[in-house]
Amino acid sequence: MNAITTERLRKTFGGVAAVDDLSIVIQKGKIIGIIGPNGSGKTTLTNVLTGIHRMDGGVVVVGKKERTRIKSCEVFGLGLTRTFQNVRVFEQVSVLDNVLIAITKKGVLGSLFERASAAQIQNADAVLARVGLTEKRDALAAELSYGQRKLLEIARALATDAEIILFDEPYAGLFPEMVKRVSGIMQELKAEGKTVILIEHDMALIRELCDHVLVMDAGKLLAEGTPEAVLSNPSVIEAYLGV
């Protein structure tokens, strides 16, 4: 069974199609790369799949659930979660509470006014250890470095225990040690049977991590295949690499 299938998916802004009749298949249990030049529709696609933007046409199938509209409030129920290009964490609460909010799925107020169970705290601590933030457990998220905030956002995504995780440029601004940690997490997720969707501009990371790559250009699917096949495709080289 596929993790996600789109059929003639469309999203327009002011008459311009950011996602233009896009039909793709995301294989379950794989690391799938989505690449393309800036403005090719990668993040818009992610926003449609996670309910931030309402699709203007087409169908999305997540597992066995078919949707002509995805609401942000139902994304967790579809087994989806994501990270953002621009980090989104709750700055004025602790690192631990940021993760607990994701675990309980009750939002900031619901989580802070309800005492977390011992099991939930243990789960949150395990996730923080996985991303290397144990020592920052009790610090405010606002006190973290940019790279640590990225790791916290990844921790929040992991804490939902979703089957499909969309990483939108997770490596930007990370030191090499952090890059290795994030890559290791993605490989672990794949080993656990999870589906990873990676939007990334670093072709070395795409080659290293991805089982299959989709190339977008002007909202359409330009090419797909193994990293080696895609990155040697003349159309991809012309559109994306600019040579």
Side-chain angles (χ1 to χ4, degrees):
M1 183 173 67
N2 296 317
I4 298 175
T5 302
T6 74
E7 299 175 6
R8 299 184 64 84
L9 185 63
R10 188 171 182 83
K11 178 61 188 176
T12 61
F13 297 100
V16 177
V19 175
D20 191 0
D21 288 340
L22 184 67
S23 298
I24 60 172
V25 173
I26 303 292
Q27 299 162 298
K28 185 177 180 181
K30 305 287 187 181
I31 300 178
I32 307 298
I34 300 180
I35 66 173
N38 290 331
S40 61
K42 305 181 301 296
T43 294
T44 299
L45 171 63
T46 301
N47 288 340
V48 170
L49 294 177
T50 54
I52 293 174
H53 296 327
R54 183 172 181 171
M55 65 183 80
D56 293 321
V59 174
V60 174
V61 182
V62 183
K64 295 181 179 179
K65 299 174 181 177
E66 183 175 308
R67 294 287 187 274
T68 54
R69 180 184 180 188
I70 297 175
K71 299 179 181 178
S72 57
C73 62
E74 69 177 359
V75 169
F76 287 141
L78 293 172
L80 276 165
T81 192
R82 68 168 295 178
T83 67
F84 291 84
Q85 277 182 280
N86 300 314
V87 180
R88 299 188 184 186
V89 296
F90 300 108
E91 295 190 350
Q92 299 308 314
V93 301
S94 72
V95 168
L96 176 65
D97 283 334
N98 263 273
V99 178
L100 287 172
I101 290 166
I103 288 173
T104 60
K105 303 182 180 73
K106 292 182 178 178
V108 179
L109 293 178
S111 296
L112 296 183
F113 285 102
E114 180 176 320
R115 185 181 298 274
S117 69
Q120 288 170 333
I121 293 173
Q122 184 178 20
N123 188 2
D125 282 330
V127 172
L128 290 175
R130 188 172 187 179
V131 301
L133 287 179
T134 297
E135 293 183 359
K136 298 294 184 179
R137 177 186 192 271
D138 298 316
L140 291 179
E143 299 170 0
L144 300 181
S145 69
Y146 177 78
Q148 289 169 336
R149 288 177 181 221
K150 282 232 164 186
L151 292 176
L152 177 55
E153 186 172 53
I154 290 170
R156 285 170 44 78
L158 297 178
T160 65
D161 198 31
E163 289 298 314
I164 306 167
I165 306 96
L166 300 96
F167 291 92
D168 193 352
E169 298 190 25
Y171 294 101
L174 296 188
F175 292 118
E177 182 179 343
M178 290 182 177
V179 169
K180 290 180 181 178
R181 184 180 293 275
V182 174
S183 294
I185 288 170
M186 291 187 191
Q187 290 166 332
E188 290 170 2
L189 289 169
K190 175 185 171 181
E192 294 165 7
K194 308 277 190 180
T195 303
V196 173
I197 302 172
L198 172 61
I199 297 175
E200 181 54 48
H201 286 294
D202 188 323
M203 295 301 104
L205 289 168
I206 291 293
R207 287 183 186 274
E208 173 189 348
L209 294 169
C210 295
D211 300 296
H212 193 81
V213 178
L214 307 173
V215 186
M216 292 185 65
D217 188 30
K220 295 181 177 292
L221 182 65
L222 176 64
E224 65 174 309
T226 65
E228 292 76 15
V230 162
L231 296 178
S232 62
N233 184 315
S235 296
V236 175
I237 293 170
E238 180 180 358
Y240 185 64
L241 302 179
V243 294

Coordinates of all heavy atoms in Angstrom, one line a residue, residues 67-157:
R67 N -9.4 12.0 0.2 CA -9.8 13.4 0.5 C -9.8 14.3 -0.7 O -8.9 14.3 -1.5 CB -8.9 14.0 1.6 CG -8.9 13.3 3.0 CD -10.2 13.6 3.7 NE -10.2 13.0 5.0 CZ -10.5 11.8 5.4 NH1 -10.9 11.0 4.4 NH2 -10.5 11.4 6.6
T68 N -10.8 15.1 -0.8 CA -10.8 16.2 -1.7 C -10.6 17.5 -1.0 O -10.5 18.6 -1.6 CB -12.1 16.3 -2.5 OG1 -13.2 16.4 -1.6 CG2 -12.3 15.1 -3.4
R69 N -10.5 17.4 0.3 CA -10.1 18.5 1.2 C -9.4 18.0 2.4 O -10.0 17.0 3.0 CB -11.3 19.4 1.6 CG -10.9 20.6 2.5 CD -12.1 21.4 2.9 NE -11.7 22.5 3.8 CZ -12.5 23.3 4.4 NH1 -13.8 23.1 4.3 NH2 -12.0 24.3 5.2
I70 N -8.3 18.5 2.9 CA -7.7 18.1 4.1 C -7.7 19.3 5.1 O -7.2 20.4 4.7 CB -6.2 17.6 3.9 CG1 -6.2 16.4 3.0 CG2 -5.5 17.3 5.2 CD1 -4.8 15.9 2.6
K71 N -8.3 19.1 6.2 CA -8.4 20.2 7.2 C -7.2 20.0 8.2 O -6.8 18.8 8.5 CB -9.7 20.1 8.0 CG -10.9 20.3 7.2 CD -12.2 20.2 8.0 CE -13.4 20.4 7.2 NZ -14.7 20.2 8.0
S72 N -6.6 21.1 8.6 CA -5.4 21.0 9.5 C -5.8 20.2 10.8 O -4.9 19.5 11.3 CB -4.9 22.4 9.9 OG -5.9 23.2 10.5
C73 N -7.0 20.3 11.2 CA -7.4 19.6 12.5 C -7.5 18.1 12.3 O -7.5 17.4 13.3 CB -8.7 20.1 13.0 SG -10.1 19.9 11.9
E74 N -7.5 17.6 11.1 CA -7.6 16.1 10.9 C -6.2 15.5 10.5 O -6.2 14.3 10.2 CB -8.6 15.8 9.9 CG -8.4 16.2 8.5 CD -9.4 15.8 7.5 OE1 -10.4 15.1 7.9 OE2 -9.3 16.1 6.3
V75 N -5.2 16.3 10.4 CA -3.9 15.8 9.9 C -3.4 14.7 10.8 O -2.9 13.6 10.3 CB -2.9 16.9 9.7 CG1 -1.5 16.4 9.5 CG2 -3.3 17.9 8.6
F76 N -3.4 14.9 12.1 CA -2.9 13.8 13.0 C -3.7 12.5 12.8 O -3.1 11.4 12.9 CB -3.0 14.3 14.5 CG -2.0 15.3 14.9 CD1 -2.3 16.3 15.7 CD2 -0.7 15.2 14.4 CE1 -1.4 17.3 16.1 CE2 0.3 16.2 14.7 CZ -0.1 17.2 15.6
G77 N -5.0 12.7 12.6 CA -5.8 11.5 12.4 C -5.5 10.7 11.1 O -5.8 9.5 11.0
L78 N -4.9 11.4 10.2 CA -4.4 10.8 8.9 C -3.1 10.1 9.1 O -2.5 9.5 8.2 CB -4.4 11.8 7.8 CG -5.8 12.3 7.3 CD1 -5.5 13.5 6.3 CD2 -6.6 11.2 6.7
G79 N -2.4 10.3 10.3 CA -1.1 9.8 10.5 C 0.0 10.6 9.9 O 1.1 10.1 9.6
L80 N -0.2 11.9 9.7 CA 0.7 12.8 9.1 C 1.3 13.8 10.2 O 0.5 14.2 11.0 CB 0.0 13.6 8.0 CG -0.1 13.0 6.6 CD1 -1.1 13.8 5.8 CD2 1.3 13.0 5.9
T81 N 2.5 14.2 10.0 CA 3.1 15.3 10.7 C 4.1 15.9 9.9 O 4.5 15.4 8.8 CB 3.6 14.9 12.1 OG1 3.9 16.1 12.9 CG2 4.9 14.1 12.0
R82 N 4.7 17.1 10.3 CA 5.6 17.8 9.5 C 6.5 18.7 10.3 O 6.2 19.0 11.4 CB 4.9 18.6 8.4 CG 4.2 19.8 9.0 CD 3.7 20.8 8.0 NE 4.8 21.5 7.3 CZ 4.7 22.3 6.4 NH1 3.5 22.7 5.9 NH2 5.7 22.9 5.8
T83 N 7.6 19.1 9.7 CA 8.4 20.2 10.2 C 8.3 21.4 9.2 O 7.8 21.2 8.1 CB 9.9 19.9 10.4 OG1 10.5 19.6 9.1 CG2 10.0 18.6 11.3
F84 N 8.8 22.6 9.6 CA 8.7 23.7 8.7 C 10.0 24.3 8.4 O 11.0 24.2 9.1 CB 7.8 24.8 9.4 CG 6.4 24.5 9.6 CD1 6.0 23.7 10.7 CD2 5.4 24.9 8.7 CE1 4.6 23.4 10.9 CE2 4.1 24.6 8.9 CZ 3.7 23.9 10.0
Q85 N 10.1 25.0 7.2 CA 11.3 25.7 6.8 C 11.7 26.7 7.9 O 12.8 26.8 8.3 CB 11.1 26.4 5.5 CG 11.3 25.6 4.3 CD 11.1 26.4 3.0 OE1 10.0 26.7 2.6 NE2 12.2 26.9 2.4
N86 N 10.7 27.5 8.3 CA 10.9 28.5 9.3 C 10.4 27.8 10.6 O 9.2 27.5 10.8 CB 10.1 29.8 9.0 CG 10.5 30.4 7.7 OD1 11.7 30.5 7.5 ND2 9.5 30.8 6.9
V87 N 11.3 27.7 11.6 CA 11.0 26.9 12.8 C 9.8 27.4 13.5 O 9.7 28.6 13.7 CB 12.3 26.9 13.7 CG1 12.0 26.1 15.0 CG2 13.5 26.3 13.0
R88 N 9.0 26.5 13.9 CA 7.8 26.9 14.7 C 7.7 26.1 16.0 O 7.4 24.9 16.0 CB 6.5 26.6 13.9 CG 6.4 27.4 12.6 CD 5.0 27.2 12.0 NE 5.0 27.9 10.7 CZ 3.8 28.0 10.0 NH1 2.7 27.4 10.4 NH2 3.8 28.6 8.8
V89 N 8.2 26.7 17.1 CA 8.1 26.1 18.4 C 7.4 27.1 19.4 O 7.3 28.3 19.0 CB 9.5 25.7 19.0 CG1 10.1 24.6 18.1 CG2 10.4 26.9 19.1
F90 N 7.0 26.7 20.5 CA 6.4 27.5 21.5 C 7.5 28.1 22.4 O 8.0 27.4 23.3 CB 5.4 26.8 22.3 CG 4.2 26.3 21.5 CD1 4.1 24.9 21.2 CD2 3.3 27.1 20.9 CE1 3.1 24.4 20.4 CE2 2.3 26.6 20.2 CZ 2.2 25.3 19.9
E91 N 7.9 29.3 22.1 CA 9.1 29.9 22.7 C 9.1 30.1 24.2 O 10.1 30.0 24.9 CB 9.5 31.2 22.0 CG 9.9 31.1 20.6 CD 10.4 32.3 20.0 OE1 10.4 33.4 20.7 OE2 11.0 32.3 18.9
Q92 N 7.9 30.4 24.7 CA 7.8 30.8 26.1 C 7.4 29.6 27.1 O 7.1 29.8 28.2 CB 6.8 31.9 26.3 CG 7.2 33.2 25.5 CD 8.6 33.6 25.8 OE1 9.0 33.7 27.0 NE2 9.3 34.0 24.8
V93 N 7.6 28.4 26.6 CA 7.4 27.2 27.5 C 8.7 26.4 27.3 O 9.5 26.6 26.4 CB 6.2 26.4 27.1 CG1 4.9 27.2 27.3 CG2 6.3 25.8 25.7
S94 N 8.9 25.5 28.2 CA 10.1 24.7 28.2 C 10.2 23.7 27.1 O 9.2 23.4 26.4 CB 10.2 23.9 29.5 OG 9.2 22.8 29.5
V95 N 11.4 23.3 26.8 CA 11.7 22.3 25.8 C 10.8 21.0 26.1 O 10.2 20.5 25.1 CB 13.2 21.9 25.8 CG1 13.4 20.7 24.9 CG2 14.0 23.1 25.3
L96 N 10.8 20.6 27.3 CA 10.0 19.4 27.7 C 8.5 19.7 27.4 O 7.8 18.8 26.8 CB 10.1 19.1 29.1 CG 9.3 17.9 29.7 CD1 9.6 16.6 29.0 CD2 9.4 17.8 31.2
D97 N 8.0 20.8 27.7 CA 6.6 21.1 27.5 C 6.2 21.2 26.0 O 5.1 20.8 25.6 CB 6.1 22.4 28.2 CG 6.0 22.2 29.7 OD1 5.7 21.1 30.1 OD2 6.1 23.2 30.5
N98 N 7.2 21.7 25.2 CA 7.0 21.7 23.8 C 6.7 20.3 23.2 O 5.8 20.1 22.4 CB 8.2 22.3 23.1 CG 8.1 23.7 22.7 OD1 7.5 24.1 21.7 ND2 8.5 24.6 23.6
V99 N 7.5 19.3 23.7 CA 7.3 17.9 23.3 C 6.0 17.4 23.9 O 5.3 16.6 23.2 CB 8.5 17.1 23.7 CG1 8.3 15.6 23.3 CG2 9.8 17.6 23.0
L100 N 5.7 17.7 25.1 CA 4.4 17.2 25.7 C 3.2 17.7 25.0 O 2.2 17.0 24.8 CB 4.4 17.6 27.2 CG 5.3 16.8 28.1 CD1 5.3 17.4 29.5 CD2 4.9 15.3 28.2
I101 N 3.3 18.9 24.5 CA 2.2 19.5 23.7 C 1.9 18.6 22.5 O 0.8 18.3 22.1 CB 2.4 20.9 23.3 CG1 2.4 21.8 24.6 CG2 1.4 21.4 22.3 CD1 2.9 23.2 24.4
A102 N 3.0 18.2 21.8 CA 2.9 17.3 20.6 C 2.3 16.0 21.0 O 1.5 15.4 20.3 CB 4.2 17.2 19.9
I103 N 2.8 15.4 22.1 CA 2.4 14.1 22.6 C 0.9 14.1 22.9 O 0.1 13.1 22.5 CB 3.2 13.6 23.8 CG1 4.6 13.3 23.3 CG2 2.5 12.4 24.4 CD1 5.5 13.0 24.5
T104 N 0.4 15.0 23.6 CA -1.0 15.1 24.0 C -1.9 15.5 22.9 O -3.1 15.2 23.0 CB -1.2 16.0 25.2 OG1 -0.8 17.3 24.9 CG2 -0.3 15.5 26.4
K105 N -1.4 16.3 21.9 CA -2.2 16.8 20.8 C -3.4 17.6 21.3 O -4.4 17.7 20.6 CB -2.7 15.6 19.9 CG -1.6 14.7 19.4 CD -2.2 13.6 18.5 CE -1.2 12.7 17.9 NZ -0.6 11.8 18.9
K106 N -3.2 18.3 22.4 CA -4.2 19.1 23.0 C -4.0 20.6 22.9 O -4.8 21.4 23.4 CB -4.5 18.8 24.4 CG -5.0 17.4 24.6 CD -5.2 17.1 26.1 CE -5.8 15.7 26.3 NZ -6.0 15.4 27.7
G107 N -2.9 21.0 22.2 CA -2.6 22.5 22.1 C -1.9 23.0 23.4 O -1.8 22.3 24.4
V108 N -1.5 24.2 23.3 CA -0.7 24.8 24.4 C -1.6 24.8 25.7 O -1.2 24.3 26.8 CB -0.3 26.2 24.1 CG1 0.5 26.8 25.3 CG2 0.6 26.2 22.9
L109 N -2.8 25.4 25.7 CA -3.5 25.6 26.9 C -4.0 24.2 27.4 O -3.9 24.0 28.6 CB -4.8 26.5 26.6 CG -4.5 27.9 26.3 CD1 -5.7 28.7 26.0 CD2 -3.7 28.6 27.5
G110 N -4.5 23.4 26.6 CA -4.9 22.1 27.0 C -3.8 21.3 27.7 O -4.0 20.6 28.7
S111 N -2.6 21.4 27.2 CA -1.5 20.6 27.7 C -1.0 21.2 29.0 O -0.7 20.5 30.0 CB -0.3 20.5 26.7 OG -0.7 19.8 25.5
L112 N -0.9 22.5 29.1 CA -0.3 23.2 30.2 C -1.3 23.2 31.4 O -0.8 23.2 32.6 CB 0.0 24.6 29.9 CG 1.1 24.8 28.9 CD1 1.5 26.3 28.7 CD2 2.4 24.0 29.3
F113 N -2.6 23.1 31.2 CA -3.5 23.0 32.3 C -3.9 21.6 32.7 O -4.8 21.4 33.6 CB -4.8 23.8 32.0 CG -4.5 25.3 32.1 CD1 -4.4 26.1 30.9 CD2 -4.4 26.0 33.3 CE1 -4.1 27.4 31.0 CE2 -4.2 27.3 33.4 CZ -4.0 28.1 32.2
E114 N -3.3 20.6 32.1 CA -3.5 19.2 32.5 C -2.2 18.6 32.8 O -1.3 18.6 31.9 CB -4.3 18.5 31.3 CG -4.6 17.1 31.6 CD -5.4 16.4 30.5 OE1 -6.2 17.1 29.9 OE2 -5.1 15.3 30.2
R115 N -2.1 18.0 33.9 CA -0.8 17.4 34.3 C -0.5 16.2 33.4 O -1.3 15.3 33.2 CB -0.9 16.9 35.8 CG 0.4 16.4 36.3 CD 0.3 15.9 37.8 NE -0.1 17.0 38.6 CZ 0.7 17.8 39.2 NH1 2.0 17.7 39.0 NH2 0.3 18.8 40.0
A116 N 0.7 16.2 32.9 CA 1.1 15.0 32.1 C 1.3 13.8 32.9 O 1.7 13.9 34.1 CB 2.4 15.4 31.3
S117 N 1.0 12.7 32.3 CA 1.2 11.4 33.1 C 2.7 11.0 33.1 O 3.5 11.6 32.3 CB 0.4 10.3 32.4 OG 1.0 10.0 31.1
A118 N 3.1 10.1 34.0 CA 4.5 9.7 34.0 C 4.9 9.0 32.7 O 6.0 9.2 32.3 CB 4.6 8.7 35.2
A119 N 4.0 8.3 32.1 CA 4.3 7.7 30.8 C 4.5 8.7 29.7 O 5.5 8.5 28.9 CB 3.2 6.7 30.4
Q120 N 3.7 9.8 29.7 CA 3.9 10.8 28.7 C 5.3 11.6 28.9 O 6.0 11.9 27.9 CB 2.8 11.8 28.8 CG 1.5 11.3 28.2 CD 0.3 12.2 28.5 OE1 0.3 13.0 29.5 NE2 -0.7 12.1 27.6
I121 N 5.6 11.8 30.2 CA 6.9 12.5 30.5 C 8.1 11.5 30.1 O 9.1 12.0 29.5 CB 7.0 12.8 31.9 CG1 6.0 13.9 32.3 CG2 8.4 13.3 32.3 CD1 5.8 14.3 33.7
Q122 N 7.9 10.3 30.3 CA 9.0 9.3 29.9 C 9.1 9.3 28.4 O 10.2 9.2 27.9 CB 8.6 7.9 30.5 CG 9.7 6.9 30.2 CD 9.3 5.5 30.8 OE1 8.1 5.2 31.1 NE2 10.3 4.7 31.0
N123 N 8.0 9.3 27.7 CA 8.0 9.3 26.3 C 8.7 10.6 25.8 O 9.6 10.5 24.8 CB 6.6 9.3 25.7 CG 6.5 9.1 24.2 OD1 7.5 9.0 23.6 ND2 5.3 9.1 23.7
A124 N 8.4 11.7 26.4 CA 9.0 13.0 26.0 C 10.5 13.0 26.2 O 11.3 13.5 25.4 CB 8.3 14.2 26.7
D125 N 10.9 12.5 27.3 CA 12.3 12.4 27.6 C 13.1 11.5 26.6 O 14.2 11.8 26.2 CB 12.6 11.9 29.1 CG 12.3 13.0 30.1 OD1 12.5 14.1 29.8 OD2 11.9 12.6 31.3
A126 N 12.4 10.4 26.2 CA 13.0 9.5 25.2 C 13.2 10.2 23.9 O 14.2 10.1 23.2 CB 12.2 8.3 25.1
V127 N 12.2 11.0 23.5 CA 12.3 11.8 22.2 C 13.4 12.8 22.3 O 14.2 13.0 21.4 CB 10.9 12.4 21.9 CG1 11.1 13.4 20.7 CG2 9.9 11.4 21.6
L128 N 13.5 13.5 23.4 CA 14.6 14.5 23.6 C 15.9 13.9 23.6 O 16.9 14.5 23.0 CB 14.4 15.3 24.9 CG 13.2 16.2 24.9 CD1 13.0 16.9 26.3 CD2 13.3 17.3 23.9
A129 N 16.1 12.7 24.2 CA 17.3 12.0 24.1 C 17.7 11.6 22.7 O 18.8 11.7 22.2 CB 17.3 10.7 25.0
R130 N 16.7 11.3 21.9 CA 16.9 10.8 20.5 C 17.4 12.0 19.7 O 18.2 11.7 18.8 CB 15.5 10.3 19.9 CG 15.6 9.7 18.6 CD 14.3 9.0 18.2 NE 14.4 8.3 17.0 CZ 13.4 7.6 16.4 NH1 12.2 7.6 17.0 NH2 13.5 6.9 15.3
V131 N 17.0 13.2 19.9 CA 17.5 14.3 19.1 C 18.6 15.1 19.8 O 19.1 16.1 19.2 CB 16.3 15.3 18.8 CG1 15.2 14.6 18.0 CG2 15.8 16.0 20.1
G132 N 19.0 14.6 21.0 CA 20.2 15.2 21.6 C 19.9 16.5 22.4 O 20.8 17.4 22.6
L133 N 18.7 16.6 22.9 CA 18.3 17.8 23.7 C 18.0 17.5 25.2 O 17.4 18.4 25.8 CB 17.1 18.5 23.1 CG 17.3 19.2 21.7 CD1 16.0 19.7 21.2 CD2 18.3 20.3 21.8
T134 N 18.5 16.4 25.7 CA 18.2 16.1 27.1 C 18.7 17.2 28.0 O 18.0 17.6 29.0 CB 18.9 14.8 27.5 OG1 18.3 13.7 26.7 CG2 18.7 14.4 28.9
E135 N 19.9 17.7 27.8 CA 20.5 18.7 28.7 C 19.7 20.1 28.6 O 19.8 20.9 29.5 CB 21.9 19.0 28.3 CG 22.8 17.8 28.6 CD 24.3 18.1 28.3 OE1 24.6 19.3 27.8 OE2 25.1 17.2 28.5
K136 N 18.9 20.2 27.6 CA 18.1 21.5 27.5 C 16.6 21.2 27.9 O 15.8 22.1 27.7 CB 18.1 21.9 26.0 CG 19.5 22.3 25.5 CD 20.0 23.6 26.2 CE 21.4 24.0 25.6 NZ 21.9 25.2 26.3
R137 N 16.4 20.1 28.5 CA 15.0 19.7 28.8 C 14.2 20.8 29.5 O 13.0 21.0 29.2 CB 15.1 18.5 29.7 CG 13.8 17.9 30.3 CD 14.1 16.8 31.3 NE 13.0 16.0 31.6 CZ 12.2 16.3 32.7 NH1 12.4 17.4 33.4 NH2 11.2 15.5 33.0
D138 N 14.8 21.5 30.5 CA 14.0 22.4 31.3 C 14.2 23.9 30.9 O 13.7 24.8 31.5 CB 14.4 22.3 32.8 CG 14.1 20.9 33.3 OD1 13.0 20.4 33.0 OD2 14.9 20.3 34.0
A139 N 15.0 24.1 29.8 CA 15.2 25.5 29.3 C 14.0 25.9 28.5 O 13.2 25.1 28.0 CB 16.4 25.5 28.4
L140 N 13.8 27.2 28.5 CA 12.8 27.8 27.6 C 13.2 27.6 26.1 O 14.4 27.7 25.8 CB 12.5 29.2 27.9 CG 11.9 29.6 29.2 CD1 11.8 31.2 29.3 CD2 10.5 29.0 29.3
A141 N 12.3 27.3 25.3 CA 12.6 27.1 23.9 C 13.2 28.4 23.3 O 14.1 28.3 22.4 CB 11.3 26.8 23.1
A142 N 12.9 29.6 23.8 CA 13.4 30.8 23.4 C 14.9 30.9 23.6 O 15.6 31.7 23.0 CB 12.7 32.0 24.0
E143 N 15.4 30.1 24.5 CA 16.9 30.2 24.9 C 17.7 29.3 24.0 O 19.0 29.3 24.1 CB 17.0 29.7 26.4 CG 16.3 30.7 27.3 CD 16.3 30.1 28.8 OE1 16.9 29.0 29.0 OE2 15.8 30.7 29.7
L144 N 17.1 28.5 23.1 CA 17.9 27.6 22.3 C 18.5 28.3 21.1 O 18.0 29.3 20.6 CB 16.9 26.5 21.8 CG 16.2 25.6 22.8 CD1 15.4 24.6 22.0 CD2 17.2 24.9 23.7
S145 N 19.6 27.7 20.6 CA 20.2 28.2 19.4 C 19.3 27.8 18.2 O 18.3 27.0 18.4 CB 21.6 27.6 19.2 OG 21.4 26.2 18.9
Y146 N 19.6 28.4 17.0 CA 18.7 28.1 15.9 C 18.8 26.6 15.6 O 17.7 26.0 15.3 CB 19.2 28.9 14.7 CG 18.5 28.6 13.4 CD1 17.2 29.1 13.2 CD2 19.0 27.7 12.4 CE1 16.5 28.8 12.0 CE2 18.3 27.4 11.3 CZ 17.0 28.0 11.1 OH 16.3 27.6 9.9
G147 N 19.9 26.0 15.6 CA 20.0 24.6 15.3 C 19.3 23.7 16.4 O 18.6 22.7 16.0
Q148 N 19.4 24.1 17.6 CA 18.6 23.4 18.7 C 17.1 23.5 18.5 O 16.4 22.6 18.8 CB 19.1 23.9 20.0 CG 20.5 23.5 20.4 CD 21.0 24.2 21.6 OE1 20.6 25.3 22.0 NE2 22.0 23.6 22.3
R149 N 16.7 24.7 18.0 CA 15.3 24.9 17.8 C 14.8 23.9 16.7 O 13.7 23.3 16.7 CB 15.0 26.3 17.4 CG 15.0 27.3 18.5 CD 14.8 28.7 17.9 NE 14.9 29.7 18.9 CZ 14.1 30.7 19.0 NH1 13.1 30.9 18.1 NH2 14.2 31.6 20.0
K150 N 15.6 23.7 15.6 CA 15.3 22.8 14.6 C 15.2 21.4 15.1 O 14.3 20.6 14.8 CB 16.4 22.9 13.5 CG 16.3 24.0 12.6 CD 16.3 23.5 11.1 CE 15.8 24.6 10.2 NZ 15.7 24.1 8.8
L151 N 16.1 21.0 16.0 CA 16.1 19.7 16.6 C 14.8 19.6 17.5 O 14.2 18.5 17.5 CB 17.3 19.4 17.5 CG 18.6 19.3 16.7 CD1 19.8 19.2 17.7 CD2 18.6 18.1 15.7
L152 N 14.4 20.6 18.2 CA 13.2 20.6 19.0 C 12.0 20.4 18.1 O 11.0 19.6 18.4 CB 13.0 21.9 19.8 CG 11.8 22.0 20.6 CD1 11.6 20.8 21.6 CD2 11.8 23.3 21.4
E153 N 11.9 21.1 16.9 CA 10.8 20.9 16.0 C 10.7 19.5 15.5 O 9.7 18.9 15.4 CB 10.9 21.9 14.9 CG 9.7 21.8 14.0 CD 9.6 22.9 12.9 OE1 10.6 23.0 12.2 OE2 8.6 23.6 12.9
I154 N 11.9 18.9 15.2 CA 11.9 17.5 14.8 C 11.4 16.6 16.0 O 10.7 15.6 15.7 CB 13.3 17.1 14.4 CG1 13.7 17.8 13.0 CG2 13.5 15.6 14.2 CD1 15.1 17.7 12.6
A155 N 11.9 16.9 17.2 CA 11.4 16.1 18.4 C 9.9 16.2 18.5 O 9.2 15.2 18.8 CB 12.0 16.7 19.6
R156 N 9.3 17.4 18.2 CA 7.8 17.5 18.3 C 7.2 16.6 17.2 O 6.1 16.0 17.5 CB 7.4 19.0 18.1 CG 7.7 19.8 19.4 CD 7.6 21.3 19.1 NE 6.4 21.6 18.4 CZ 5.1 21.6 18.9 NH1 4.9 21.3 20.1 NH2 4.1 21.9 18.1
A157 N 7.8 16.6 16.0 CA 7.2 15.7 15.0 C 7.3 14.3 15.4 O 6.3 13.5 15.2 CB 7.9 16.0 13.7

